[in-house]
Amino acid sequence: MKRPINFIYKSLLMLLLSGVWISGQAQDANNKFRHTYKNISVSRNKGGQTITIAFDVYPSTLIGSKEHVIVSPEYVAQDMHTRVALSPIHFAGANRYKILKRKHRLGTVNPLEKCDPTKIIRLSSDKEMEPVHVEQTIPYQVWMKEANLYIKEQSYGCATCDLGENDGFFPLPIGPRFSKDHYAYDFLAPKKVETKRYAERLDCKVNFKVGRHELLTDFQDNANELRKLRSFMERAIKLAKSGLGATLDKIEVVGYASPESPADYNQKLSERRAVVLADYVRNIYPEVRNIASSSVEGAGEDWAGLRRLVETSNVEDKDKVLSAIDGYSTDTEREAQIKSLRNGSVYQFLLTNLYPSLRRTTFSMGYEVRPYTVQELPKIFDKNPALMSHYELSQLIEIWVKEGKNPLKIYAEAYKLYGDDPIAVLNYANALLKYESNAAKALEVLAGLSDDLRAQYPKAIALHIQGNEEEADAVIEAAAKRGDKRAMQVFQENK
């Protein structure tokens, strides 16, 4: 028996208000149909101007030979009134199919039977048919964001007698809102600084005999380590004389010891060794004797350095070693706890494999660097970009962009030198996306700014490039709620 359309709408509205329509109707809808409908989807097309609705119809084998079933799909708004009719699909049993074909040939079809005769689908009652794929593209309208697919099956017998209808709704929310057309890149200007500092550092691992501080140039690998130290000093002095505006004004020498003797003893020993190496440098390079700021000190036992080495080692009971380092306040307690692990074998491993690299002396050379003119920037970048401030790097970027050159290389250098500044991080991520479409690297760079609102838009672009459209939408929506103006604009376009 045919049900009134108003009754259907009222019933659906009651179900919606009761909170069960969205969750249950899609699952139960096929129970009311003669055919079966699967793989129902809707997707927003490139640019967001159109949508494509698609589904598969699995024809029923129970439709009689003389029956004609018209499937009429519509895309319907939540208010049940706004709708777009899609192209109907005609199915006919074996006898009815022949009759319809003949009527079309003779031009005697009635309005209900009018259709493209080449698209009438002949049903078979003795074998399962392949599904019929339906796909149609229509212009996008705002109301479609929360619309539904409505399907009506109207059945007719011989002489077009009405055999009744079946209908139902399938919730079909719109697909991704964020599209390639929304891609945009913000590059932020870093602050200009009046004074600049530049520093270089070397870990010199000259070996001393146990408990001694005399410098033996031919002991173990000392010849090679001292060669590295001389090379480091020569580069530092050369930079100060290079005419690049870097004045060497600070040198720091710090000695470290491994934690295998009393802490007070190691403190004094590390200082004596640092003095020995500082004197070695002063004797070879008298230029450093007149540096404005010069310091030599012993840092004692390097527990922080040991912790870093343990974290990346394959030592047994690694967690217990780290707990000993972190959980005790005195060097004696830490050492005793480590020595107790596995009858001392853990301590022997540390002593042999990790402690030697803790016995070192660091040399740090500091420079005051004058500001550069715009004309000097290209030359300085080629010679030593580390001498440039973040602001000066951004000035060079402007020059390259005006010249039509890809500035990604400069953004990468700024990130390398000033990665602690969120502006350097954001600019590099945006440059990776704009100039290289390198979404994976951009997401890696942005990972440290997960809570920064400015990082959300480039993150959405990167996700969209990777094909994670739904996740990109979620990021845009969250950013819009937090007040990001560009994200709000994208979100409002699709409301």
Side-chain angles (χ1 to χ4, degrees):
M1 179 178 177
K2 186 174 179 180
R3 291 172 292 174
I5 296 296
N6 287 339
F7 171 80
I8 296 170
Y9 287 158
K10 289 179 181 178
S11 299
L12 285 170
L13 183 59
M14 290 294 290
L15 286 168
L16 178 61
L17 293 173
S18 67
V20 300
W21 178 59
I22 294 297
S23 62
Q25 190 65 25
Q27 298 170 358
D28 299 337
N30 275 310
N31 294 338
K32 302 191 295 182
F33 290 114
R34 305 189 71 182
H35 296 310
T36 300
Y37 300 88
K38 295 182 179 180
N39 305 319
I40 301 172
S41 67
V42 60
S43 59
R44 189 90 174 267
N45 302 94
K46 183 179 179 180
Q49 302 304 310
T50 60
I51 63 170
T52 296
I53 300 168
F55 57 92
D56 292 325
V57 185
Y58 288 73
S60 171
T61 59
L62 301 179
I63 292 176
S65 176
K66 297 181 179 180
E67 288 187 63
H68 175 200
V69 179
I70 303 173
V71 175
S72 302
E74 291 182 302
Y75 204 44
V76 183
Q78 291 282 35
D79 63 7
M80 305 296 183
H81 298 295
T82 310
R83 56 185 57 218
V84 173
L86 308 179
S87 299
I89 311 107
H90 291 254
F91 295 88
N95 288 339
R96 194 65 186 165
Y97 179 82
K98 293 178 184 178
I99 293 171
L100 286 172
K101 285 286 188 177
R102 186 168 63 248
K103 281 188 170 186
H104 275 88
R105 190 169 60 249
L106 297 174
T108 59
V109 293
N110 62 43
L112 292 174
E113 296 170 328
K114 269 194 172 181
C115 63
D116 183 346
T118 65
K119 294 184 178 180
I120 301 173
I121 299 166
R122 180 177 179 175
L123 298 175
S124 174
S125 60
D126 55 1
K127 65 176 181 178
E128 187 173 333
M129 294 182 61
E130 290 292 321
V132 177
H133 182 69
V134 178
E135 187 169 303
Q136 189 169 341
T137 299
I138 58 177
Y140 171 74
Q141 298 178 53
V142 174
W143 60 265
M144 294 177 177
K145 189 170 74 76
E146 297 295 336
N148 308 278
L149 179 65
Y150 169 68
I151 293 179
K152 180 179 74 173
E153 293 177 340
Q154 182 68 54
S155 300
Y156 299 97
C158 58
T160 65
C161 57
D162 189 346
L163 299 179
E165 68 178 43
N166 302 290
D167 62 0
F169 284 80
F170 296 87
L172 205 57
I174 204 70
R177 296 185 289 267
F178 190 68
S179 72
K180 193 172 182 178
D181 289 346
H182 293 119
Y183 289 9
Y185 310 95
D186 288 326
F187 294 99
L188 307 175
K191 291 182 179 179
K192 184 177 181 179
V193 295
E194 297 302 326
T195 60
K196 296 183 293 179
R197 297 292 307 173
Y198 172 66
E200 291 184 344
R201 172 176 162 161
L202 172 73
D203 267 6
C204 182
K205 297 177 181 176
V206 168
N207 289 288
F208 296 87
K209 288 189 175 181
V210 177
R212 308 294 296 177
H213 62 273
E214 295 86 1
L215 178 59
L216 303 176
T217 58
D218 58 350
F219 181 63
Q220 295 185 4
D221 195 35
N222 281 358
N224 186 46
E225 288 297 316
L226 290 171
R227 187 162 44 249
K228 291 179 184 177
L229 177 57
R230 292 193 298 273
S231 177
F232 174 76
M233 294 303 303
E234 287 162 8
R235 287 198 310 274
I237 294 169
K238 182 179 179 181
L239 176 59
K241 297 177 179 179
S242 66
L244 296 179
T247 303
L248 181 59
D249 64 354
K250 186 176 184 180
I251 179 171
E252 292 181 346
V253 184
V254 182
Y256 295 88
S258 57
E260 56 192 283
S261 297
D264 291 343
Y265 175 83
N266 280 330
Q267 173 67 40
K268 294 174 182 177
L269 181 62
S270 65
E271 185 174 341
R272 289 196 297 269
R273 289 174 173 174
V275 169
V276 167
L277 285 172
D279 288 342
Y280 173 82
V281 167
R282 291 189 186 110
N283 289 334
I284 300 177
Y285 307 103
E287 299 97 321
V288 302
R289 295 176 185 172
N290 298 321
I291 290 178
S293 176
S294 179
S295 65
V296 181
E297 64 176 291
E301 298 177 348
D302 188 10
W303 286 101
L306 177 61
R307 194 187 197 292
R308 288 192 296 271
L309 293 174
V310 169
E311 282 184 321
T312 57
S313 74
N314 58 352
V315 62
E316 293 182 295
D317 290 342
K318 180 188 295 188
D319 291 342
K320 292 181 180 179
V321 175
L322 295 174
S323 295
I325 295 172
D326 297 337
Y328 293 91
S329 58
T330 68
D331 301 331
T332 303
E333 290 175 312
R334 291 171 178 159
E335 196 169 348
Q337 181 65 22
I338 292 172
K339 285 181 177 180
S340 71
L341 299 174
R342 295 185 180 268
N343 296 319
S345 64
V346 172
Y347 177 75
Q348 287 301 317
F349 177 91
L350 299 179
L351 192 64
T352 303
N353 297 283
L354 303 187
Y355 278 19
S357 61
L358 298 175
R359 305 169 197 138
R360 71 196 196 283
T361 303
T362 64
F363 287 78
S364 298
M365 314 298 288
Y367 306 80
E368 182 176 340
V369 185
R370 68 169 175 81
Y372 297 122
T373 65
V374 173
Q375 291 74 21
E376 290 179 297
L377 296 179
K379 173 188 172 183
I380 301 298
F381 186 76
D382 289 338
K383 295 286 186 181
N384 191 344
L387 297 176
M388 300 171 68
S389 69
H390 194 183
Y391 177 77
E392 288 168 338
L393 287 168
S394 72
Q395 286 183 300
L396 183 59
I397 287 170
E398 290 181 12
I399 294 172
W400 279 31
V401 170
K402 288 179 181 177
E403 294 175 352
K405 297 166 67 175
N406 185 335
L408 181 59
K409 179 180 178 181
I410 309 178
Y411 281 116
E413 192 66 37
Y415 174 70
K416 174 184 172 183
L417 296 172
Y418 302 103
D420 291 337
D421 184 347
I423 289 178
V425 177
L426 292 165
N427 285 348
Y428 183 40
N430 276 286
L432 285 165
L433 295 170
K434 180 175 182 178
Y435 296 105
E436 207 174 65
S437 294
N438 192 339
K441 182 66 177 177
L443 289 172
E444 178 185 327
V445 169
L446 291 169
L449 296 179
S450 58
D451 294 329
D452 193 317
L453 181 57
R454 297 170 297 178
Q456 304 313 305
Y457 205 90
K459 180 180 178 181
I461 295 173
L463 290 168
H464 196 270
I465 289 174
Q466 290 184 328
N468 300 324
E469 296 178 342
E470 295 294 341
E471 194 173 350
D473 270 1
V475 171
I476 287 294
E477 185 168 349
K481 289 178 180 177
R482 291 176 60 187
D484 183 274
K485 292 182 179 179
R486 183 167 283 160
M488 289 170 68
Q489 183 178 356
V490 173
F491 190 65
Q492 289 297 327
E493 282 178 10
N494 298 278
K495 266 193 154 184

